[in-house]
Amino acid sequence: MYYNVTLNRVPLGDTVEAVNLVLNEHQAGVTEGGSVDMIWINGDNFKTLKEAELLFGPWSEAIPNAAHVNWDDPSISFDFGVSVDGLESPWGSAQMVFVYNSAYVPEPPGTFEALAEWVHANPGLFTYSAPPDFHGLSFVKHMFYWAADDYSVFQQPFDQAVYDSIAPKVWAYLNDIEPDLWRGGDTYPTSIGALQDLLANSEVYFGMSLNPRRPSTLIGNGTYPDTIRTWVMDTGTLTNKNLGGY
């Protein structure tokens, strides 16, 4: 069906560029014909735009595919703890997997404790992308889930006391492995793309991905060798839904 809609995709270096553009235009009094109509936003940006009342809607539960969405699922009805209220629609899901080169690592570590042992025994061959890169942030978040006796505490409103009880274990772990990371932990890959390059060139033996299919794609296009494999920790992994609004 033809709706007389022209889609003009504009690449961004960072989503916050578009968010700031919307905020600036609003502050300048632009209420119609702005530069951005539709945007993929993460939880922080969604919170910013929702609080500024700059999101269209509610609309998401009225579209045809909404009939197939479980709106009672907290990972859909909330975005980083903020109620969606019909202002975003899910369009995909993500799951964090670790990536390794089986030519050098026959059996990947199944726990964070075992990962630390491997890092110390093989200095320079593991690293993670530096936050605020989303993959680096997810690695650190994953560690918080590991460090907590009950991961459900992170599905509640922020509690400083809970954070203070768990964070020291995470920082102690990261500080402990840092000297044996790639380049002695003096620097980190700035993006997931940079980490993928290190793995592809065998400068490190591990990587990570929030798309379980991505490593297969990189093998298929020749970026990764065909010895690349994925795994998740024995205690589980992170998953989330991709949501979009306008």
Side-chain angles (χ1 to χ4, degrees):
M1 186 177 295
Y2 181 66
Y3 291 96
N4 195 30
V5 173
T6 299
L7 179 63
N8 180 26
R9 178 180 174 273
V10 180
L12 295 170
D14 193 314
T15 304
V16 74
E17 296 172 14
V19 173
N20 288 337
L21 182 57
V22 172
L23 292 172
N24 291 337
E25 289 183 342
H26 174 69
Q27 292 174 355
V30 178
T31 58
E32 295 183 359
S35 302
V36 180
D37 294 317
M38 183 176 292
I39 182 176
W40 174 87
I41 48 180
N42 63 16
D44 289 338
N45 293 326
F46 173 73
K47 179 176 184 292
T48 297
L49 291 176
K50 185 182 181 187
E51 289 180 345
E53 299 183 351
L54 294 177
L55 293 170
F56 176 80
W59 60 272
S60 59
E61 295 186 39
I63 62 177
N65 283 350
H68 307 292
V69 175
N70 178 13
W71 296 101
D72 294 327
D73 183 343
S75 67
I76 293 175
S77 58
F78 289 87
D79 191 353
F80 277 54
V82 178
S83 180
V84 168
D85 296 330
L87 301 176
E88 287 185 311
S89 178
W91 55 270
S93 60
Q95 181 186 44
M96 186 171 184
V97 296
F98 290 96
V99 186
Y100 70 104
N101 192 330
S102 63
Y104 305 110
V105 185
E107 186 67 29
T111 65
F112 279 107
E113 292 85 353
L115 175 62
E117 292 178 6
W118 192 96
V119 170
H120 291 314
N122 301 272
L125 296 175
F126 180 88
T127 190
Y128 55 95
S129 53
D133 174 73
F134 192 66
H135 287 75
L137 283 175
S138 296
F139 177 70
V140 175
K141 290 177 187 176
H142 200 335
M143 296 217 57
F144 268 84
Y145 273 65
W146 159 76
D149 292 329
D150 178 8
Y151 68 84
S152 67
V153 297
F154 297 123
Q155 299 173 337
Q156 310 295 327
F158 177 76
D159 186 321
Q160 186 68 49
V162 170
Y163 172 84
D164 291 340
S165 69
I166 298 171
K169 182 176 180 179
V170 175
W171 307 143
Y173 183 102
L174 294 176
N175 289 332
D176 174 63
I177 66 172
E178 185 176 45
D180 288 323
L181 296 180
W182 175 70
R183 293 190 175 178
D186 290 335
T187 187
Y188 293 77
T190 57
S191 67
I192 188 60
L195 179 56
Q196 289 172 352
D197 289 343
L198 293 176
L199 179 59
N201 297 329
S202 298
E203 293 187 57
V204 298
Y205 294 167
F206 290 92
M208 54 196 70
S209 176
L210 287 164
N211 181 346
R213 297 179 297 274
R214 180 64 176 165
S216 295
T217 300
L218 294 175
I219 292 173
N221 66 22
T223 300
Y224 278 167
D226 60 9
T227 52
I228 294 296
R229 300 290 184 270
T230 61
W231 96 100
V232 298
M233 293 293 185
D234 296 342
T235 51
T237 188
L238 298 180
T239 184
N240 70 281
K241 300 296 190 297
N242 299 314
L243 301 168
Y246 63 95

